[in-house]
Amino acid sequence: MSGPGEFEAPRRARWSEIKSALESAGFEPSRALGQNFLVDENMLRAIVRDARVAPGDFVLEIGPGAGVLTAQLLAAGARVLAVEIDERLASFSREFLGEERVQWIVRDALAGKHALAPELIAALPTEGDWKLVSNLPYSAGTPILAALARLPNPPRSATVLLQKDLALRLAAEPGSKTYGAISARLQAVYAIEHLRDLGPQLFWPRPQVDSSLLRLELRPERPSAAELAALDPLLDTLFSQRRKTIRNRLAEYLGEGALADRACEQLGLDPRLRPEDVGHEPWLALLRLGAKKP
Ligand code: SAM
């Protein structure tokens, strides 16, 4: 039995039971931590199906919250590494789910603004396929995905719920207004598909924005770690002034207009294009030609 103020977590419970257990323990969702729980069981099951989770899969879930998505991952036979910043939710979910096939890390998934927590990195497989399936905390979604994509053995797929406008930016095609440095950074590593939108009514409490489910699939020909490290400053320079031409931005990056002209010629790119008109491929090709910041 739980004592006063502690959670009595019902196993295999419906959302209404989970919510009343949380509320009777005085839990109030934190906006700062993006605590909007997905309460629609059909949608939770659909996400696990979209993620193509099979028995024995290693799945990282960042922000399991009250454990409702985790329960579906376990039902599909996954082994789950669960990383939750909120101790109260982690202890609630632990009780609700049991320990079997769940490994817990109770801390911020990030160490600083851009790096993953060392405990998380140490617990991830260093070889073989594994998956990320998460309803990500909105404020930390971008740095988490960017850092996971830079791992030596990144997730083979990521099926993630994000705030809709961010999801659309990540999945944007070159030539669209929303295509930016973060789209290029992630798309160099993953093919990104926008699967569906989810309205606020599917969450408790209701968020003020729509959400979208993305599926990221690792590219077989993904760039090396050194290429990715070199791509970051190039993309930063290109997209720091998106209304300028790529010739202008390349001249800044390469230190000379003549080098920018030569690069455009070698890449077969019209120098008058804007950064958002060009996908990540020519920039990787440029780095492979040995272009460097002076
Ligand atoms: N997976 C649950 C669901 O679908 O209902 C909860 C998702 S909720 C959008 C985000 C969760 O991430 C919350 O449980 C929150 O406490 C947790 N969280 C927020 N920031 C985090 C961080 N930096 N590292 C780990 N967990 C975090």
Side-chain angles (χ1 to χ4, degrees), residues 33-38 61 63-65 83-85 89 108-109 135 137:
L33 292 178
Q35 289 175 344
N36 301 100
F37 305 104
L38 180 56
E61 186 187 3
V83 186
E84 173 57 58
I85 197 170
L89 286 175
D108 191 336
N135 175 8

Side-chain angles (χ1 to χ4, degrees), residues 114-132:
H114 303 289
L116 294 171
E119 293 95 316
L120 166 54
I121 295 177
L124 289 171
T126 51
E127 54 186 35
D129 288 351
W130 60 278
K131 296 178 167 126
L132 170 73

Side-chain angles (χ1 to χ4, degrees), residues 37-55:
F37 305 104
L38 180 56
V39 302
D40 185 291
E41 206 156 310
N42 289 330
M43 190 55 75
L44 288 162
R45 273 199 285 270
I47 292 174
V48 174
R49 262 199 315 276
D50 287 332
R52 297 175 210 152
V53 174

Side-chain angles (χ1 to χ4, degrees), residues 102-183:
V102 192
Q103 181 186 347
W104 286 92
I105 298 179
V106 184
R107 63 152 293 162
D108 191 336
L110 291 168
K113 265 188 169 169
H114 303 289
L116 294 171
E119 293 95 316
L120 166 54
I121 295 177
L124 289 171
T126 51
E127 54 186 35
D129 288 351
W130 60 278
K131 296 178 167 126
L132 170 73
V133 184
S134 297
N135 175 8
L136 285 171
Y138 290 161
S139 56
T142 309
I144 287 173
L145 288 175
L148 287 171
R150 256 90 185 133
L151 287 173
N153 185 37
R156 173 68 195 267
S157 69
T159 309
V160 287
L161 257 180
L162 292 162
Q163 179 174 330
K164 184 174 177 182
D165 63 349
L166 171 61
L168 293 182
R169 256 189 288 145
L170 300 185
E173 306 238 345
S176 78
K177 281 216 174 341
T178 42
Y179 185 82
I182 182 62
S183 335

Side-chain angles (χ1 to χ4, degrees), residues 195-212:
L195 295 181
R196 67 182 81 173
D197 294 331
L198 285 77
Q201 75 284 0
L202 299 179
F203 298 85
W204 177 80
R206 289 183 180 210
Q208 278 165 344
V209 292
D210 281 348
S211 307
S212 299

Side-chain angles (χ1 to χ4, degrees), residues 5-288:
E6 285 175 26
F7 291 119
E8 202 160 348
R11 265 172 164 270
R12 305 234 147 266
R14 300 198 157 275
W15 173 253
S16 55
E17 297 169 278
I18 294 173
K19 184 170 171 241
S20 61
L22 288 169
E23 283 176 338
S24 59
F27 175 80
E28 283 180 24
S30 151
R31 214 168 168 191
L33 292 178
Q35 289 175 344
N36 301 100
F37 305 104
L38 180 56
V39 302
D40 185 291
E41 206 156 310
N42 289 330
M43 190 55 75
L44 288 162
R45 273 199 285 270
I47 292 174
V48 174
R49 262 199 315 276
D50 287 332
R52 297 175 210 152
V53 174
D57 280 357
F58 182 102
V59 174
L60 168 64
E61 186 187 3
I62 293 184
V68 285
L69 180 59
T70 327
Q72 298 297 338
L73 291 167
L74 292 172
R79 293 170 290 145
V80 179
L81 173 61
V83 186
E84 173 57 58
I85 197 170
D86 187 324
E87 280 177 29
R88 299 193 80 199
L89 286 175
S91 78
F92 176 86
S93 301
R94 252 190 174 127
E95 197 178 325
F96 165 46
L97 300 163
E99 294 289 330
E100 209 190 333
R101 286 188 283 130
V102 192
Q103 181 186 347
W104 286 92
I105 298 179
V106 184
R107 63 152 293 162
D108 191 336
L110 291 168
K113 265 188 169 169
H114 303 289
L116 294 171
E119 293 95 316
L120 166 54
I121 295 177
L124 289 171
T126 51
E127 54 186 35
D129 288 351
W130 60 278
K131 296 178 167 126
L132 170 73
V133 184
S134 297
N135 175 8
L136 285 171
Y138 290 161
S139 56
T142 309
I144 287 173
L145 288 175
L148 287 171
R150 256 90 185 133
L151 287 173
N153 185 37
R156 173 68 195 267
S157 69
T159 309
V160 287
L161 257 180
L162 292 162
Q163 179 174 330
K164 184 174 177 182
D165 63 349
L166 171 61
L168 293 182
R169 256 189 288 145
L170 300 185
E173 306 238 345
S176 78
K177 281 216 174 341
T178 42
Y179 185 82
I182 182 62
S183 335
R185 252 188 253 293
L186 269 185
Q187 290 180 25
V189 181
Y190 288 102
I192 304 185
E193 197 186 346
H194 174 204
L195 295 181
R196 67 182 81 173
D197 294 331
L198 285 77
Q201 75 284 0
L202 299 179
F203 298 85
W204 177 80
R206 289 183 180 210
Q208 278 165 344
V209 292
D210 281 348
S211 307
S212 299
L213 184 68
L214 291 185
R215 184 175 156 86
L216 289 71
E217 192 79 44
L218 196 64
R219 294 187 187 280
E221 73 295 6
R222 77 192 152 91
S224 68
E227 286 169 338
L228 286 174
L231 187 63
D232 283 342
L234 172 55
L235 291 173
D236 287 343
T237 309
L238 286 164
F239 284 94
S240 62
Q241 294 188 40
R242 29 188 315 144
R243 295 319 302 155
K244 296 269 164 71
T245 62
I246 56 167
R247 182 190 184 277
N248 171 290
R249 297 290 73 220
L250 283 173
E252 166 84 22
Y253 178 80
L254 297 168
E256 248 183 75
L259 291 175
D261 288 330
R262 185 152 162 259
C264 289
E265 205 179 303
Q266 283 175 312
L267 298 170
L269 290 175
D270 182 337
R272 293 165 301 179
L273 289 172
R274 314 256 177 224
E276 72 248 32
D277 296 324
V278 182
H280 62 275
E281 297 91 343
W283 307 132
L284 283 171
L286 182 66
L287 297 170
R288 287 172 185 149

